[in-house]
Amino acid sequence: DEKADVAETLQELARDDDESRVAIAAAGGIEVLVSLARDGNERQKERAAGALWNLSDNDENSVAIAAADGIEVLVALARDGTERQKELAAGALSNMIEVASGTHEGVVEAGGVAVLSSLAQEAGASGDCKLAAAIALVYLAADDTCLSLLLSRLDQPEDDG
């Protein structure tokens, strides 16, 4: 399918080339990829998540992914996607958390901590998926503001709904 093929090409272009990452973002690629990761078929979601993982290695792109509601989309894929989608989404979230501290609170607010914790422990998850999830959690815990936000949630009553 053509959309998945284009997303895969963008993933490859952004793999190890920051110049390409910047150009893809400048051309509006982030918004399109977030939309595809949310609304596409399974193959499109996988390819879009892979492209977002590579694009998220740039701090400005990570902020742009967050601004395009990408955190919520990636958390949803990490929770509900196929095994490969979970791995790619966890990798993208890990990159975003590492390179752009402004994304930390968004990950917490989107329920990312619980999802990443589950992935890090999930028996059926790949080693790469577990590693990406664990690294993301380490980056979150290293941020004082984020850690305070997490700890404050321990004082809140649980939602029985």
Side-chain angles (χ1 to χ4, degrees):
D1 101 45
E2 188 175 343
K3 289 181 181 180
D5 291 343
V6 170
E8 184 175 20
T9 298
L10 293 174
Q11 178 182 356
E12 292 304 315
L13 288 171
R15 184 174 306 276
D16 293 312
D17 183 2
D18 203 53
E19 206 171 290
S20 292
R21 291 180 190 123
V22 170
I24 291 166
I30 287 174
E31 293 81 4
V32 172
L33 289 164
V34 168
S35 177
L36 197 58
R38 180 183 50 245
D39 302 322
N41 63 36
E42 296 305 315
R43 185 166 177 260
Q44 292 167 352
K45 288 178 181 181
E46 180 179 315
R47 299 298 191 252
L52 290 168
W53 184 358
N54 289 343
L55 288 167
S56 67
D57 207 21
N58 172 291
D59 60 338
E60 291 179 11
N61 286 355
S62 285
V63 171
I65 292 167
D69 295 327
I71 290 174
E72 293 83 358
V73 171
L74 291 167
V75 168
L77 274 180
R79 181 186 57 240
D80 303 322
T82 66
E83 290 307 311
R84 183 70 175 144
Q85 289 168 358
K86 288 178 180 182
E87 179 181 322
L88 296 167
L93 289 167
S94 180
N95 274 356
M96 291 174 71
I97 293 164
E98 176 187 10
V99 303
S101 60
T103 63
H104 295 183
E105 285 187 37
V107 172
V108 173
E109 295 298 328
V113 173
V115 172
L116 292 166
S117 295
S118 292
L119 280 179
Q121 302 172 58
E122 191 174 292
S126 71
D128 287 342
C129 184
K130 289 179 180 184
L131 181 61
I135 289 171
L137 291 167
V138 168
Y139 289 136
L140 285 173
D143 179 284
D144 289 340
T145 302
C146 188
L147 188 56
S148 295
L149 182 60
L150 290 171
L151 292 173
S152 74
R153 289 174 174 244
L154 292 176
D155 291 333
Q156 297 176 356
E158 288 193 33
D159 182 8
D160 293 333

